[in-house]
PDB file of all heavy atoms in Angstrom:
ATOM      1  N   ASN A 103      74.589-239.016 180.871  1.00 54.00           N
ATOM      2  CA  ASN A 103      73.501-238.648 179.982  1.00 54.00           C
ATOM      3  C   ASN A 103      72.665-239.865 179.557  1.00 54.00           C
ATOM      4  O   ASN A 103      71.457-239.790 179.449  1.00 54.00           O
ATOM      5  CB  ASN A 103      74.050-237.966 178.714  1.00 54.00           C
ATOM      6  CG  ASN A 103      74.677-236.614 179.055  1.00 54.00           C
ATOM      7  OD1 ASN A 103      74.305-235.963 180.028  1.00 54.00           O
ATOM      8  ND2 ASN A 103      75.647-236.177 178.233  1.00 54.00           N
ATOM      9  N   LEU A 104      73.370-240.972 179.302  1.00 53.00           N
ATOM     10  CA  LEU A 104      72.654-242.203 178.931  1.00 53.00           C
ATOM     11  C   LEU A 104      71.797-242.682 180.107  1.00 53.00           C
ATOM     12  O   LEU A 104      70.668-243.154 179.914  1.00 53.00           O
ATOM     13  CB  LEU A 104      73.635-243.295 178.537  1.00 53.00           C
ATOM     14  CG  LEU A 104      73.048-244.637 178.098  1.00 53.00           C
ATOM     15  CD1 LEU A 104      72.162-244.463 176.863  1.00 53.00           C
ATOM     16  CD2 LEU A 104      74.157-245.637 177.808  1.00 53.00           C
ATOM     17  N   GLN A 105      72.325-242.568 181.326  1.00 57.00           N
ATOM     18  CA  GLN A 105      71.532-242.936 182.491  1.00 57.00           C
ATOM     19  C   GLN A 105      70.283-242.076 182.643  1.00 57.00           C
ATOM     20  O   GLN A 105      69.198-242.577 182.915  1.00 57.00           O
ATOM     21  CB  GLN A 105      72.394-242.812 183.772  1.00 57.00           C
ATOM     22  CG  GLN A 105      71.675-243.156 185.069  1.00 57.00           C
ATOM     23  CD  GLN A 105      71.254-244.588 185.139  1.00 57.00           C
ATOM     24  OE1 GLN A 105      72.018-245.481 184.773  1.00 57.00           O
ATOM     25  NE2 GLN A 105      70.037-244.845 185.558  1.00 57.00           N
ATOM     26  N   GLN A 106      70.456-240.779 182.403  1.00 58.00           N
ATOM     27  CA  GLN A 106      69.321-239.900 182.509  1.00 58.00           C
ATOM     28  C   GLN A 106      68.265-240.212 181.421  1.00 58.00           C
ATOM     29  O   GLN A 106      67.071-240.231 181.698  1.00 58.00           O
ATOM     30  CB  GLN A 106      69.774-238.438 182.356  1.00 58.00           C
ATOM     31  CG  GLN A 106      68.651-237.409 182.492  1.00 58.00           C
ATOM     32  CD  GLN A 106      68.010-237.454 183.866  1.00 58.00           C
ATOM     33  OE1 GLN A 106      68.676-237.628 184.869  1.00 58.00           O
ATOM     34  NE2 GLN A 106      66.674-237.286 183.902  1.00 58.00           N
ATOM     35  N   LEU A 107      68.748-240.493 180.196  1.00 55.00           N
ATOM     36  CA  LEU A 107      67.825-240.842 179.127  1.00 55.00           C
ATOM     37  C   LEU A 107      67.086-242.134 179.440  1.00 55.00           C
ATOM     38  O   LEU A 107      65.889-242.270 179.231  1.00 55.00           O
ATOM     39  CB  LEU A 107      68.610-241.000 177.816  1.00 55.00           C
ATOM     40  CG  LEU A 107      67.776-241.419 176.558  1.00 55.00           C
ATOM     41  CD1 LEU A 107      66.700-240.419 176.262  1.00 55.00           C
ATOM     42  CD2 LEU A 107      68.710-241.617 175.368  1.00 55.00           C
ATOM     43  N   SER A 108      67.838-243.146 179.971  1.00 56.00           N
ATOM     44  CA  SER A 108      67.205-244.393 180.323  1.00 56.00           C
ATOM     45  C   SER A 108      66.161-244.190 181.416  1.00 56.00           C
ATOM     46  O   SER A 108      65.077-244.748 181.359  1.00 56.00           O
ATOM     47  CB  SER A 108      68.289-245.357 180.804  1.00 56.00           C
ATOM     48  OG  SER A 108      67.682-246.543 181.376  1.00 56.00           O
ATOM     49  N   ASN A 109      66.494-243.387 182.416  1.00 60.00           N
ATOM     50  CA  ASN A 109      65.503-243.136 183.480  1.00 60.00           C
ATOM     51  C   ASN A 109      64.278-242.449 182.962  1.00 60.00           C
ATOM     52  O   ASN A 109      63.154-242.745 183.348  1.00 60.00           O
ATOM     53  CB  ASN A 109      66.174-242.279 184.579  1.00 60.00           C
ATOM     54  CG  ASN A 109      67.253-243.045 185.305  1.00 60.00           C
ATOM     55  OD1 ASN A 109      67.305-244.265 185.320  1.00 60.00           O
ATOM     56  ND2 ASN A 109      68.168-242.329 185.925  1.00 60.00           N
ATOM     57  N   ASP A 110      64.486-241.505 182.024  1.00 63.00           N
ATOM     58  CA  ASP A 110      63.306-240.788 181.445  1.00 63.00           C
ATOM     59  C   ASP A 110      62.421-241.741 180.649  1.00 63.00           C
ATOM     60  O   ASP A 110      61.189-241.672 180.733  1.00 63.00           O
ATOM     61  CB  ASP A 110      63.809-239.652 180.531  1.00 63.00           C
ATOM     62  CG  ASP A 110      64.487-238.534 181.300  1.00 63.00           C
ATOM     63  OD1 ASP A 110      64.277-238.457 182.543  1.00 63.00           O
ATOM     64  OD2 ASP A 110      65.264-237.771 180.685  1.00 63.00           O
ATOM     65  N   VAL A 111      63.056-242.653 179.882  1.00 59.00           N
ATOM     66  CA  VAL A 111      62.254-243.571 179.091  1.00 59.00           C
ATOM     67  C   VAL A 111      61.492-244.538 179.996  1.00 59.00           C
ATOM     68  O   VAL A 111      60.284-244.791 179.792  1.00 59.00           O
ATOM     69  CB  VAL A 111      63.165-244.357 178.095  1.00 59.00           C
ATOM     70  CG1 VAL A 111      62.369-245.471 177.403  1.00 59.00           C
ATOM     71  CG2 VAL A 111      63.763-243.433 177.073  1.00 59.00           C
ATOM     72  N   VAL A 112      62.173-245.097 181.009  1.00 56.00           N
ATOM     73  CA  VAL A 112      61.518-246.004 181.929  1.00 56.00           C
ATOM     74  C   VAL A 112      60.387-245.305 182.666  1.00 56.00           C
ATOM     75  O   VAL A 112      59.287-245.836 182.892  1.00 56.00           O
ATOM     76  CB  VAL A 112      62.535-246.600 182.923  1.00 56.00           C
ATOM     77  CG1 VAL A 112      61.824-247.393 184.019  1.00 56.00           C
ATOM     78  CG2 VAL A 112      63.522-247.478 182.182  1.00 56.00           C
ATOM     79  N   LYS A 113      60.632-244.041 183.069  1.00 61.00           N
ATOM     80  CA  LYS A 113      59.599-243.300 183.790  1.00 61.00           C
ATOM     81  C   LYS A 113      58.386-243.060 182.883  1.00 61.00           C
ATOM     82  O   LYS A 113      57.261-243.199 183.322  1.00 61.00           O
ATOM     83  CB  LYS A 113      60.170-241.947 184.223  1.00 61.00           C
ATOM     84  CG  LYS A 113      59.197-241.084 185.033  1.00 61.00           C
ATOM     85  CD  LYS A 113      59.841-239.781 185.466  1.00 61.00           C
ATOM     86  CE  LYS A 113      58.843-238.899 186.218  1.00 61.00           C
ATOM     87  NZ  LYS A 113      59.492-237.610 186.665  1.00 61.00           N
ATOM     88  N   TYR A 114      58.655-242.753 181.614  1.00 57.00           N
ATOM     89  CA  TYR A 114      57.551-242.533 180.684  1.00 57.00           C
ATOM     90  C   TYR A 114      56.769-243.846 180.493  1.00 57.00           C
ATOM     91  O   TYR A 114      55.507-243.849 180.493  1.00 57.00           O
ATOM     92  CB  TYR A 114      58.077-242.029 179.339  1.00 57.00           C
ATOM     93  CG  TYR A 114      56.977-241.837 178.305  1.00 57.00           C
ATOM     94  CD1 TYR A 114      56.261-240.650 178.250  1.00 57.00           C
ATOM     95  CD2 TYR A 114      56.681-242.838 177.388  1.00 57.00           C
ATOM     96  CE1 TYR A 114      55.270-240.480 177.311  1.00 57.00           C
ATOM     97  CE2 TYR A 114      55.675-242.681 176.446  1.00 57.00           C
ATOM     98  CZ  TYR A 114      54.970-241.477 176.416  1.00 57.00           C
ATOM     99  OH  TYR A 114      53.975-241.333 175.499  1.00 57.00           O
ATOM    100  N   LEU A 115      57.462-244.944 180.289  1.00 53.00           N
ATOM    101  CA  LEU A 115      56.771-246.230 180.077  1.00 53.00           C
ATOM    102  C   LEU A 115      55.963-246.612 181.281  1.00 53.00           C
ATOM    103  O   LEU A 115      54.840-247.147 181.161  1.00 53.00           O
ATOM    104  CB  LEU A 115      57.815-247.340 179.794  1.00 53.00           C
ATOM    105  CG  LEU A 115      58.554-247.233 178.446  1.00 53.00           C
ATOM    106  CD1 LEU A 115      59.580-248.338 178.352  1.00 53.00           C
ATOM    107  CD2 LEU A 115      57.566-247.356 177.287  1.00 53.00           C
ATOM    108  N   SER A 116      56.481-246.331 182.500  1.00 58.00           N
ATOM    109  CA  SER A 116      55.736-246.678 183.696  1.00 58.00           C
ATOM    110  C   SER A 116      54.527-245.791 183.898  1.00 58.00           C
ATOM    111  O   SER A 116      53.457-246.237 184.323  1.00 58.00           O
ATOM    112  CB  SER A 116      56.667-246.580 184.911  1.00 58.00           C
ATOM    113  OG  SER A 116      57.781-247.455 184.726  1.00 58.00           O
ATOM    114  N   GLN A 117      54.688-244.478 183.633  1.00 55.00           N
ATOM    115  CA  GLN A 117      53.598-243.553 183.883  1.00 55.00           C
ATOM    116  C   GLN A 117      52.541-243.578 182.794  1.00 55.00           C
ATOM    117  O   GLN A 117      51.376-243.198 183.038  1.00 55.00           O
ATOM    118  CB  GLN A 117      54.153-242.123 184.022  1.00 55.00           C
ATOM    119  CG  GLN A 117      55.023-241.914 185.255  1.00 55.00           C
ATOM    120  CD  GLN A 117      55.534-240.483 185.348  1.00 55.00           C
ATOM    121  OE1 GLN A 117      55.445-239.723 184.376  1.00 55.00           O
ATOM    122  NE2 GLN A 117      56.086-240.137 186.482  1.00 55.00           N
ATOM    123  N   HIS A 118      52.907-243.988 181.581  1.00 53.00           N
ATOM    124  CA  HIS A 118      51.972-243.943 180.475  1.00 53.00           C
ATOM    125  C   HIS A 118      51.657-245.349 179.967  1.00 53.00           C
ATOM    126  O   HIS A 118      51.525-245.572 178.769  1.00 53.00           O
ATOM    127  CB  HIS A 118      52.543-243.101 179.322  1.00 53.00           C
ATOM    128  CG  HIS A 118      52.755-241.656 179.699  1.00 53.00           C
ATOM    129  ND1 HIS A 118      53.862-241.243 180.426  1.00 53.00           N
ATOM    130  CD2 HIS A 118      51.980-240.549 179.475  1.00 53.00           C
ATOM    131  CE1 HIS A 118      53.784-239.927 180.613  1.00 53.00           C
ATOM    132  NE2 HIS A 118      52.688-239.494 180.056  1.00 53.00           N
TER     133      HIS A 118
END
Side-chain angles (χ1 to χ4, degrees):
N103 294 332
L104 181 61
Q105 177 66 43
Q106 182 61 39
L107 177 61
S108 171
N109 293 338
D110 292 342
V111 173
V112 172
K113 182 179 179 181
Y114 178 85
L115 291 175
S116 301
Q117 293 179 349
H118 298 80

